[in-house]
Amino acid sequence: MEIGTLIQILSTLGIGAILLKLFEGIFQWATGRSKREHDAWQQRDTEAKKRRKLEEYAHQLRHDLIDRGVPQDKLPPWPDY
C-alpha cells in the first residue's frame, strides 16, 4: 500500500483529528501547561468560594442589624461590582 493511499484512508476515518488531539495533550503535559491551567482554575474557584462566603456573611449581618432596629438608610450601600 502506498503512503498516499494510507494517508487518505486515515484522514477519511478521522484518525488525523484524534492524533492531533493526542499530540496536543502530550505536548501540554510535557510543557506543564496543563498543570498551570488546572492550578489557575483552582485558584479562581478558591477565590470565588471566599467571595461567596463573604457575601453571605454581609447579607446575614445586614439582616441581623435590621432585625435589631437599625434603619436601612443607616446601613452602608452594597458595593458595586
Side-chain angles (χ1 to χ4, degrees):
M1 184 178 290
E2 293 182 20
I3 190 74
T5 307
L6 182 61
I7 291 172
Q8 186 178 13
I9 291 171
L10 292 176
S11 65
T12 302
L13 295 174
I15 301 297
I18 294 170
L19 289 175
L20 179 62
K21 286 292 184 184
L22 178 66
F23 285 127
E24 283 179 6
I26 291 171
F27 179 75
Q28 286 181 359
W29 172 77
T31 60
R33 180 177 172 195
S34 180
K35 180 169 176 22
R36 287 192 307 268
E37 287 178 358
H38 180 71
D39 291 346
W41 279 109
Q42 279 187 328
Q43 182 182 3
R44 289 182 191 110
D45 287 345
T46 301
E47 290 171 357
K49 287 177 186 176
K50 288 179 181 178
R51 185 174 50 250
R52 283 191 299 270
K53 287 176 74 172
L54 184 60
E55 288 172 350
E56 183 179 326
Y57 174 77
H59 179 76
Q60 185 61 46
L61 180 61
R62 287 179 69 89
H63 275 281
D64 289 347
L65 289 171
I66 291 169
D67 288 346
R68 292 172 193 218
V70 176
Q72 284 190 10
D73 60 342
K74 297 291 183 185
L75 296 176
W78 282 100
D80 293 329
Y81 286 101

Coordinates of all heavy atoms in Angstrom, one line a residue:
M1 N 0.9 -1.2 0.0 CA 0.0 0.0 0.0 C 0.9 1.2 0.0 O 1.9 1.3 0.8 CB -0.9 0.0 1.2 CG -1.9 1.1 1.3 SD -3.0 1.1 2.7 CE -4.0 -0.3 2.3
E2 N 0.6 2.2 -0.8 CA 1.4 3.4 -0.9 C 1.1 4.3 0.3 O 0.0 4.3 0.9 CB 1.1 4.1 -2.2 CG 1.5 3.4 -3.4 CD 1.2 4.2 -4.7 OE1 1.1 5.4 -4.6 OE2 1.2 3.5 -5.8
I3 N 2.0 5.2 0.6 CA 1.8 6.1 1.7 C 0.7 7.1 1.4 O 0.0 7.5 2.4 CB 3.2 6.9 2.0 CG1 3.1 7.6 3.3 CG2 3.5 7.8 0.9 CD1 3.1 6.8 4.5
G4 N 0.5 7.5 0.2 CA -0.6 8.4 -0.1 C -2.0 7.8 0.1 O -2.9 8.5 0.7
T5 N -2.1 6.6 -0.2 CA -3.4 5.8 0.0 C -3.6 5.7 1.5 O -4.7 5.8 2.0 CB -3.3 4.5 -0.7 OG1 -2.9 4.6 -2.1 CG2 -4.6 3.8 -0.6
L6 N -2.5 5.3 2.2 CA -2.7 5.2 3.7 C -3.1 6.5 4.3 O -4.0 6.5 5.2 CB -1.3 4.7 4.2 CG -1.3 4.4 5.7 CD1 -2.3 3.3 6.1 CD2 0.1 4.0 6.2
I7 N -2.5 7.6 3.9 CA -2.8 8.9 4.5 C -4.3 9.2 4.2 O -5.0 9.7 5.0 CB -1.9 10.0 4.0 CG1 -0.5 9.8 4.6 CG2 -2.4 11.4 4.3 CD1 0.6 10.7 4.0
Q8 N -4.7 8.9 3.0 CA -6.1 9.2 2.6 C -7.1 8.4 3.4 O -8.1 8.9 3.8 CB -6.3 8.9 1.1 CG -7.6 9.3 0.6 CD -7.8 9.1 -0.9 OE1 -6.9 8.4 -1.5 NE2 -8.8 9.6 -1.5
I9 N -6.8 7.1 3.6 CA -7.7 6.2 4.4 C -7.7 6.7 5.9 O -8.8 6.8 6.4 CB -7.2 4.8 4.4 CG1 -7.4 4.2 3.0 CG2 -7.9 3.9 5.4 CD1 -6.8 2.8 2.8
L10 N -6.6 7.1 6.4 CA -6.6 7.6 7.8 C -7.3 8.9 8.0 O -8.0 9.1 8.9 CB -5.1 7.7 8.3 CG -4.3 6.4 8.5 CD1 -2.9 6.8 8.9 CD2 -5.0 5.5 9.5
S11 N -7.2 9.8 7.0 CA -7.9 11.0 7.1 C -9.4 10.8 6.9 O -10.2 11.6 7.5 CB -7.3 12.0 6.0 OG -7.6 11.6 4.7
T12 N -9.8 9.9 6.1 CA -11.2 9.6 5.9 C -11.8 9.1 7.2 O -12.9 9.4 7.5 CB -11.4 8.5 4.8 OG1 -10.8 9.0 3.6 CG2 -12.8 8.2 4.6
L13 N -11.0 8.3 7.9 CA -11.5 7.7 9.2 C -11.5 8.7 10.3 O -12.0 8.4 11.4 CB -10.7 6.5 9.6 CG -10.9 5.3 8.6 CD1 -9.9 4.2 9.0 CD2 -12.3 4.8 8.6
G14 N -10.9 9.9 10.1 CA -10.8 10.9 11.2 C -9.7 10.6 12.2 O -9.6 11.3 13.2
I15 N -8.8 9.8 11.8 CA -7.6 9.5 12.7 C -6.8 10.7 12.9 O -6.2 10.9 13.9 CB -6.8 8.3 12.1 CG1 -7.7 7.1 12.0 CG2 -5.6 8.0 12.9 CD1 -8.3 6.5 13.2
G16 N -6.7 11.5 11.8 CA -5.8 12.7 11.9 C -6.2 13.6 13.1 O -5.4 14.1 13.8
A17 N -7.5 13.9 13.2 CA -8.0 14.7 14.3 C -7.7 14.1 15.7 O -7.4 14.8 16.6 CB -9.5 15.0 14.1
I18 N -7.9 12.8 15.8 CA -7.7 12.1 17.0 C -6.2 12.2 17.4 O -5.8 12.5 18.5 CB -8.1 10.7 16.9 CG1 -9.7 10.6 16.8 CG2 -7.7 9.9 18.2 CD1 -10.2 9.3 16.5
L19 N -5.3 11.9 16.4 CA -3.9 12.0 16.6 C -3.5 13.4 17.0 O -2.6 13.6 17.9 CB -3.1 11.5 15.4 CG -3.2 10.0 15.2 CD1 -2.5 9.7 13.9 CD2 -2.6 9.2 16.3
L20 N -4.1 14.4 16.4 CA -3.7 15.8 16.7 C -4.1 16.1 18.1 O -3.2 16.7 18.8 CB -4.5 16.8 15.7 CG -4.2 18.2 15.9 CD1 -2.8 18.6 15.7 CD2 -5.1 19.1 15.0
K21 N -5.2 15.7 18.6 CA -5.6 16.0 20.0 C -4.7 15.2 20.9 O -4.3 15.7 22.0 CB -7.1 15.6 20.2 CG -8.1 16.5 19.7 CD -8.0 17.8 20.4 CE -9.1 18.8 20.0 NZ -9.0 20.1 20.6
L22 N -4.3 14.0 20.6 CA -3.4 13.2 21.4 C -2.1 13.9 21.5 O -1.5 14.1 22.6 CB -3.2 11.8 20.8 CG -2.3 10.9 21.5 CD1 -2.8 10.6 22.9 CD2 -2.1 9.6 20.7
F23 N -1.5 14.4 20.4 CA -0.2 15.1 20.4 C -0.3 16.4 21.2 O 0.6 16.8 21.9 CB 0.3 15.3 19.0 CG 0.9 14.0 18.4 CD1 0.4 13.6 17.2 CD2 1.8 13.3 19.1 CE1 0.9 12.5 16.6 CE2 2.3 12.1 18.5 CZ 1.8 11.7 17.2
E24 N -1.4 17.1 21.1 CA -1.6 18.4 21.8 C -1.6 18.1 23.3 O -1.0 18.8 24.1 CB -2.9 19.0 21.4 CG -2.9 19.8 20.1 CD -4.3 20.4 19.8 OE1 -5.2 20.4 20.6 OE2 -4.4 20.9 18.7
G25 N -2.3 17.0 23.7 CA -2.4 16.6 25.1 C -1.0 16.3 25.7 O -0.6 16.7 26.8
I26 N -0.3 15.5 24.9 CA 1.1 15.1 25.3 C 2.0 16.3 25.4 O 2.8 16.5 26.4 CB 1.7 14.0 24.3 CG1 0.9 12.7 24.5 CG2 3.1 13.8 24.6 CD1 1.2 11.7 23.4
F27 N 1.9 17.2 24.5 CA 2.7 18.4 24.5 C 2.4 19.3 25.7 O 3.3 19.8 26.4 CB 2.5 19.2 23.2 CG 3.3 20.5 23.1 CD1 4.6 20.5 22.9 CD2 2.6 21.7 23.3 CE1 5.4 21.6 22.8 CE2 3.4 22.9 23.3 CZ 4.7 22.9 23.0
Q28 N 1.1 19.5 26.0 CA 0.7 20.3 27.2 C 1.2 19.6 28.4 O 1.7 20.3 29.3 CB -0.8 20.4 27.2 CG -1.4 21.4 26.2 CD -2.9 21.6 26.3 OE1 -3.5 21.0 27.1 NE2 -3.4 22.4 25.4
W29 N 1.1 18.3 28.5 CA 1.6 17.6 29.7 C 3.1 17.8 29.8 O 3.6 18.0 30.9 CB 1.2 16.1 29.6 CG 1.8 15.3 30.7 CD1 1.4 15.3 32.0 CD2 3.0 14.5 30.6 NE1 2.2 14.4 32.7 CE2 3.2 13.9 31.9 CE3 3.8 14.1 29.5 CZ2 4.2 13.0 32.1 CZ3 4.8 13.3 29.8 CH2 5.0 12.7 31.0
A30 N 3.8 17.6 28.7 CA 5.3 17.7 28.8 C 5.8 19.1 29.1 O 6.8 19.3 29.8 CB 5.8 17.3 27.4
T31 N 5.0 20.1 28.7 CA 5.5 21.5 29.0 C 4.9 22.0 30.3 O 5.3 23.1 30.7 CB 5.1 22.4 27.8 OG1 3.6 22.4 27.7 CG2 5.7 22.1 26.5
G32 N 4.1 21.3 30.9 CA 3.5 21.7 32.2 C 2.3 22.7 32.0 O 1.8 23.2 33.0
R33 N 1.9 23.0 30.8 CA 0.8 23.9 30.6 C -0.5 23.4 31.2 O -1.3 24.2 31.8 CB 0.6 24.1 29.1 CG -0.4 25.1 28.7 CD -0.5 25.3 27.2 NE -1.7 26.1 26.9 CZ -2.1 26.2 25.7 NH1 -1.6 25.6 24.7 NH2 -3.2 26.9 25.4
S34 N -0.7 22.1 31.1 CA -2.0 21.6 31.6 C -2.1 21.8 33.1 O -3.1 22.2 33.7 CB -2.1 20.1 31.3 OG -3.2 19.5 31.8
K35 N -0.9 21.6 33.8 CA -0.9 21.8 35.3 C -1.1 23.2 35.6 O -1.9 23.6 36.6 CB 0.4 21.3 35.9 CG 0.5 21.5 37.4 CD 1.7 20.7 38.0 CE 1.9 20.9 39.4 NZ 0.8 21.3 40.2
R36 N -0.5 24.1 34.9 CA -0.7 25.6 35.1 C -2.1 26.0 35.0 O -2.7 26.8 35.7 CB 0.2 26.4 34.2 CG 1.7 26.3 34.6 CD 2.5 27.4 33.9 NE 2.4 27.3 32.5 CZ 3.1 26.6 31.6 NH1 4.1 25.9 32.1 NH2 2.9 26.7 30.3
E37 N -2.8 25.5 33.9 CA -4.2 25.8 33.7 C -5.0 25.3 34.8 O -6.0 25.9 35.3 CB -4.6 25.2 32.3 CG -4.1 26.0 31.1 CD -4.5 25.4 29.8 OE1 -5.2 24.3 29.8 OE2 -4.2 25.9 28.8
H38 N -4.8 24.0 35.2 CA -5.5 23.4 36.3 C -5.3 24.2 37.6 O -6.3 24.5 38.3 CB -5.1 22.0 36.5 CG -5.8 21.3 37.6 ND1 -7.1 20.9 37.6 CD2 -5.4 20.9 38.9 CE1 -7.4 20.3 38.7 NE2 -6.4 20.3 39.5
D39 N -4.1 24.6 37.9 CA -3.8 25.4 39.1 C -4.5 26.8 39.0 O -5.1 27.3 40.0 CB -2.3 25.7 39.3 CG -1.6 24.4 39.6 OD1 -2.3 23.4 40.0 OD2 -0.3 24.4 39.5
A40 N -4.6 27.4 37.8 CA -5.3 28.7 37.7 C -6.8 28.5 38.0 O -7.4 29.4 38.6 CB -5.1 29.2 36.3
W41 N -7.4 27.4 37.5 CA -8.8 27.2 37.7 C -9.1 27.0 39.2 O -10.0 27.4 39.8 CB -9.3 26.0 36.9 CG -9.6 26.4 35.5 CD1 -9.0 26.1 34.4 CD2 -10.7 27.3 35.1 NE1 -9.5 26.7 33.3 CE2 -10.6 27.4 33.7 CE3 -11.7 27.9 35.7 CZ2 -11.5 28.2 32.9 CZ3 -12.6 28.7 35.0 CH2 -12.5 28.8 33.6
Q42 N -8.2 26.2 39.8 CA -8.3 26.0 41.3 C -8.2 27.3 42.1 O -9.0 27.5 43.0 CB -7.3 25.0 41.8 CG -7.6 23.6 41.5 CD -6.6 22.7 42.2 OE1 -5.4 23.0 42.4 NE2 -7.1 21.5 42.6
Q43 N -7.3 28.2 41.7 CA -7.2 29.5 42.3 C -8.5 30.3 42.1 O -9.0 30.9 43.1 CB -6.0 30.2 41.8 CG -5.8 31.6 42.4 CD -4.6 32.3 41.8 OE1 -4.0 31.9 40.8 NE2 -4.3 33.5 42.4
R44 N -9.0 30.3 40.9 CA -10.3 31.0 40.7 C -11.4 30.5 41.5 O -12.2 31.2 42.1 CB -10.6 31.0 39.2 CG -9.7 31.8 38.3 CD -10.2 31.8 36.9 NE -9.1 32.4 36.1 CZ -8.4 31.7 35.2 NH1 -8.5 30.4 35.1 NH2 -7.5 32.3 34.5
D45 N -11.5 29.2 41.6 CA -12.6 28.5 42.4 C -12.4 28.9 43.9 O -13.4 29.2 44.5 CB -12.5 27.0 42.2 CG -13.0 26.5 40.9 OD1 -13.7 27.3 40.2 OD2 -12.8 25.4 40.5
T46 N -11.2 28.9 44.4 CA -11.0 29.2 45.8 C -11.4 30.7 46.1 O -12.0 31.0 47.0 CB -9.5 29.0 46.1 OG1 -9.1 27.7 45.9 CG2 -9.2 29.4 47.6
E47 N -11.0 31.6 45.2 CA -11.4 33.0 45.3 C -12.9 33.2 45.3 O -13.5 34.0 46.0 CB -10.7 33.8 44.3 CG -9.2 33.9 44.5 CD -8.4 34.6 43.4 OE1 -9.1 35.0 42.3 OE2 -7.2 34.8 43.5
A48 N -13.5 32.5 44.4 CA -15.0 32.6 44.2 C -15.7 32.0 45.5 O -16.7 32.6 45.9 CB -15.5 31.8 43.0
K49 N -15.2 30.9 46.1 CA -15.8 30.4 47.3 C -15.6 31.4 48.4 O -16.6 31.7 49.2 CB -15.1 29.1 47.7 CG -15.5 27.9 46.8 CD -14.8 26.7 47.2 CE -15.0 25.6 46.2 NZ -14.2 24.4 46.5
K50 N -14.5 32.0 48.5 CA -14.3 33.0 49.6 C -15.2 34.2 49.4 O -15.7 34.8 50.4 CB -12.8 33.5 49.6 CG -11.8 32.5 50.1 CD -10.4 33.0 50.1 CE -9.4 31.9 50.6 NZ -8.0 32.4 50.5
R51 N -15.3 34.7 48.2 CA -16.2 35.8 47.9 C -17.7 35.5 48.2 O -18.4 36.3 48.8 CB -16.1 36.2 46.4 CG -16.8 37.4 46.0 CD -16.6 37.9 44.6 NE -16.7 36.8 43.6 CZ -15.7 36.3 42.9 NH1 -14.5 36.7 43.2 NH2 -15.9 35.3 42.1
R52 N -18.1 34.3 47.9 CA -19.5 33.9 48.2 C -19.7 33.8 49.7 O -20.7 34.3 50.2 CB -19.8 32.5 47.6 CG -20.1 32.6 46.1 CD -20.7 31.3 45.6 NE -19.8 30.2 45.7 CZ -18.9 29.8 44.8 NH1 -18.8 30.5 43.7 NH2 -18.2 28.8 45.0
K53 N -18.7 33.3 50.5 CA -18.8 33.3 51.9 C -18.9 34.7 52.5 O -19.7 35.0 53.4 CB -17.7 32.5 52.5 CG -17.7 31.0 52.3 CD -16.5 30.3 52.8 CE -16.6 30.3 54.3 NZ -15.5 29.4 54.9
L54 N -18.1 35.6 52.0 CA -18.1 37.0 52.4 C -19.4 37.7 52.1 O -20.0 38.4 53.0 CB -17.0 37.8 51.8 CG -16.8 39.2 52.3 CD1 -16.5 39.2 53.8 CD2 -15.6 39.8 51.5
E55 N -20.0 37.4 50.9 CA -21.3 38.0 50.6 C -22.4 37.4 51.5 O -23.3 38.2 51.9 CB -21.6 37.7 49.1 CG -20.7 38.5 48.1 CD -20.9 38.1 46.7 OE1 -21.5 37.1 46.4 OE2 -20.4 38.8 45.8
E56 N -22.3 36.2 51.7 CA -23.3 35.5 52.6 C -23.3 36.1 54.0 O -24.3 36.4 54.6 CB -23.1 34.0 52.7 CG -24.1 33.3 53.5 CD -23.8 31.8 53.5 OE1 -23.4 31.3 52.5 OE2 -24.1 31.2 54.5
Y57 N -22.0 36.3 54.5 CA -21.9 36.9 55.8 C -22.4 38.4 55.9 O -23.1 38.7 56.8 CB -20.4 36.9 56.2 CG -20.1 37.7 57.5 CD1 -20.4 37.1 58.7 CD2 -19.6 39.0 57.5 CE1 -20.2 37.8 59.9 CE2 -19.4 39.6 58.7 CZ -19.7 39.0 59.9 OH -19.5 39.7 61.1
A58 N -22.1 39.1 54.8 CA -22.6 40.5 54.8 C -24.1 40.6 54.7 O -24.7 41.4 55.3 CB -22.0 41.2 53.6
H59 N -24.7 39.7 53.9 CA -26.1 39.6 53.8 C -26.8 39.3 55.2 O -27.7 39.9 55.6 CB -26.5 38.5 52.8 CG -28.0 38.3 52.6 ND1 -28.7 39.2 51.9 CD2 -28.8 37.4 53.1 CE1 -30.0 38.8 51.9 NE2 -30.1 37.7 52.6
Q60 N -26.2 38.3 55.9 CA -26.7 37.9 57.2 C -26.6 39.1 58.2 O -27.4 39.3 59.0 CB -26.1 36.7 57.7 CG -26.6 36.1 59.0 CD -28.1 35.7 58.9 OE1 -28.5 35.1 57.9 NE2 -28.9 36.2 59.8
L61 N -25.4 39.7 58.2 CA -25.2 40.9 59.1 C -26.2 42.0 58.8 O -26.7 42.6 59.8 CB -23.7 41.4 58.9 CG -23.3 42.5 59.7 CD1 -23.4 42.1 61.2 CD2 -21.9 43.0 59.3
R62 N -26.4 42.3 57.6 CA -27.4 43.3 57.3 C -28.8 42.9 57.9 O -29.5 43.8 58.5 CB -27.5 43.6 55.8 CG -26.3 44.3 55.2 CD -26.5 44.5 53.7 NE -27.5 45.4 53.3 CZ -27.3 46.7 53.2 NH1 -26.1 47.3 53.4 NH2 -28.3 47.5 52.9
H63 N -29.2 41.7 57.7 CA -30.5 41.3 58.2 C -30.5 41.3 59.7 O -31.5 41.7 60.3 CB -30.8 39.8 57.7 CG -31.5 39.8 56.4 ND1 -32.8 40.1 56.2 CD2 -31.0 39.6 55.2 CE1 -33.1 40.0 54.9 NE2 -32.0 39.7 54.3
D64 N -29.4 40.9 60.4 CA -29.4 41.0 61.8 C -29.5 42.4 62.3 O -30.2 42.7 63.3 CB -28.1 40.3 62.4 CG -28.1 38.8 62.2 OD1 -29.1 38.2 61.9 OD2 -27.0 38.2 62.3
L65 N -28.8 43.3 61.7 CA -28.9 44.7 62.1 C -30.3 45.3 61.9 O -30.8 46.0 62.8 CB -27.8 45.6 61.3 CG -26.4 45.3 61.6 CD1 -25.5 46.0 60.6 CD2 -26.1 45.8 63.0
I66 N -30.9 45.0 60.8 CA -32.3 45.4 60.6 C -33.2 44.8 61.6 O -34.1 45.5 62.2 CB -32.7 45.1 59.1 CG1 -31.9 45.9 58.1 CG2 -34.2 45.3 59.0 CD1 -32.1 45.5 56.7
D67 N -33.0 43.5 62.0 CA -33.9 42.9 63.0 C -33.7 43.6 64.3 O -34.6 43.6 65.2 CB -33.5 41.4 63.1 CG -34.0 40.6 61.9 OD1 -34.9 41.1 61.1 OD2 -33.6 39.5 61.7
R68 N -32.5 44.1 64.6 CA -32.3 44.8 65.9 C -32.6 46.3 65.9 O -32.2 47.0 66.8 CB -30.8 44.6 66.3 CG -30.6 43.1 66.6 CD -29.2 42.7 66.8 NE -29.1 41.3 66.8 CZ -28.4 40.6 67.6 NH1 -27.6 41.2 68.4 NH2 -28.4 39.3 67.5
G69 N -33.2 46.7 64.8 CA -33.7 48.1 64.8 C -32.9 49.1 64.1 O -33.2 50.3 64.2
V70 N -31.9 48.8 63.5 CA -31.1 49.7 62.7 C -31.8 50.0 61.4 O -32.2 49.1 60.7 CB -29.7 49.2 62.4 CG1 -28.9 50.2 61.5 CG2 -28.9 48.9 63.7
P71 N -32.1 51.3 61.1 CA -32.8 51.6 59.9 C -32.0 51.3 58.7 O -30.8 51.5 58.7 CB -33.1 53.2 60.0 CG -32.7 53.6 61.4 CD -31.9 52.5 62.0
Q72 N -32.7 50.9 57.6 CA -32.0 50.5 56.4 C -31.2 51.7 55.8 O -30.1 51.5 55.2 CB -32.9 50.0 55.4 CG -33.4 48.6 55.6 CD -34.2 48.0 54.5 OE1 -34.2 48.5 53.4 NE2 -34.8 46.9 54.7
D73 N -31.7 52.9 56.0 CA -31.0 54.0 55.4 C -29.7 54.4 56.2 O -28.8 55.1 55.7 CB -31.9 55.3 55.3 CG -32.4 55.7 56.7 OD1 -32.4 54.9 57.6 OD2 -32.9 56.9 56.7
K74 N -29.5 53.8 57.3 CA -28.3 54.0 58.1 C -27.2 52.9 57.8 O -26.0 53.1 58.2 CB -28.6 53.9 59.6 CG -29.5 55.0 60.1 CD -28.8 56.3 60.0 CE -29.7 57.4 60.6 NZ -29.2 58.7 60.5
L75 N -27.6 51.9 57.0 CA -26.6 50.9 56.6 C -25.9 51.4 55.4 O -26.4 52.0 54.5 CB -27.4 49.6 56.3 CG -28.1 48.9 57.5 CD1 -28.9 47.7 57.0 CD2 -27.1 48.5 58.6
P76 N -24.6 51.0 55.3 CA -23.9 51.4 54.1 C -24.4 50.6 52.9 O -25.0 49.5 53.0 CB -22.4 50.9 54.4 CG -22.5 49.9 55.5 CD -23.8 50.3 56.2
P77 N -24.3 51.3 51.7 CA -24.9 50.6 50.5 C -24.0 49.4 50.1 O -22.9 49.3 50.5 CB -24.8 51.7 49.4 CG -23.7 52.6 49.9 CD -23.7 52.5 51.4
W78 N -24.6 48.5 49.4 CA -23.9 47.4 48.8 C -22.9 47.9 47.9 O -23.1 48.8 47.1 CB -24.9 46.4 48.1 CG -25.6 45.5 49.0 CD1 -26.9 45.7 49.4 CD2 -25.2 44.3 49.7 NE1 -27.3 44.7 50.2 CE2 -26.3 43.9 50.4 CE3 -24.0 43.6 49.7 CZ2 -26.2 42.7 51.2 CZ3 -23.9 42.5 50.5 CH2 -25.0 42.0 51.2
P79 N -21.7 47.2 47.8 CA -20.7 47.7 46.9 C -21.0 47.3 45.4 O -21.7 46.4 45.2 CB -19.4 46.9 47.3 CG -19.9 45.7 48.1 CD -21.2 46.2 48.7
D80 N -20.6 48.2 44.5 CA -20.8 47.9 43.1 C -19.7 47.0 42.6 O -18.6 47.1 43.0 CB -20.7 49.2 42.3 CG -21.9 50.1 42.6 OD1 -23.0 49.6 42.9 OD2 -21.8 51.3 42.5
Y81 N -20.1 46.1 41.7 CA -19.1 45.2 41.2 C -18.7 45.7 39.8 O -19.4 46.2 39.1 CB -19.6 43.8 41.0 CG -19.7 43.0 42.3 CD1 -20.9 42.9 43.0 CD2 -18.6 42.5 42.9 CE1 -21.0 42.2 44.2 CE2 -18.7 41.8 44.1 CZ -19.9 41.7 44.8 OH -19.9 41.0 46.0

